[in-house]
């Protein structure tokens, strides 16, 4: 649902083996939000949600699933 730390862009880049790299461009005038972070407190309170995977494990499992199933999409 969400991750309470900063973005995982560099982790995704490394996981996928993206050799193009990541270009952190200067912020545009309309982009005033410095950081975006999800919050799972409502899901915890309403649904009893508890994360069952670490962010690293979840990214790896998602990437593996996408590689295996992308041809089916």
């Amino acid at each position: 649902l969400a991750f309470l730390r900063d973005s995982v862009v560099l982790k995704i880049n490394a996981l996928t083996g993206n050799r193009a790299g990541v270009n952190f461009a200067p912020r545009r005038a309309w982009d005033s939000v410095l950081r975006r972070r999800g919050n799972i407190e409502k899901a915890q309170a309403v649904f009893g949600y508890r994360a069952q995977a670490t962010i690293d494990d979840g990214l790896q499992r998602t990437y593996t699933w996408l590689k295996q199933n992308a041809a089916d999409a």
Side-chain angles (χ1 to χ4, degrees), residues 8-71:
V8 293
V9 170
L10 294 176
K11 287 185 181 210
I12 293 170
N13 187 65
L15 177 67
T16 60
N18 175 14
R19 289 176 278 163
V22 177
N23 180 20
F24 290 98
R27 191 175 333 281
R28 294 162 287 203
W30 53 264
D31 193 4
S32 60
V33 177
L34 298 178
R35 296 194 172 166
R36 291 172 177 85
R37 296 183 182 167
N39 188 328
I40 63 169
E41 289 178 0
K42 188 172 183 178
Q44 289 172 329
V46 175
F47 304 118
Y49 173 80
R50 296 290 181 265
Q52 297 179 5
T54 64
I55 190 66
D56 293 330
D57 184 46
L59 286 173
Q60 180 64 58
R61 289 168 45 192
T62 300
Y63 181 63
T64 299
W65 186 91
L66 286 170
K67 285 194 318 184
Q68 293 171 348
N69 295 282

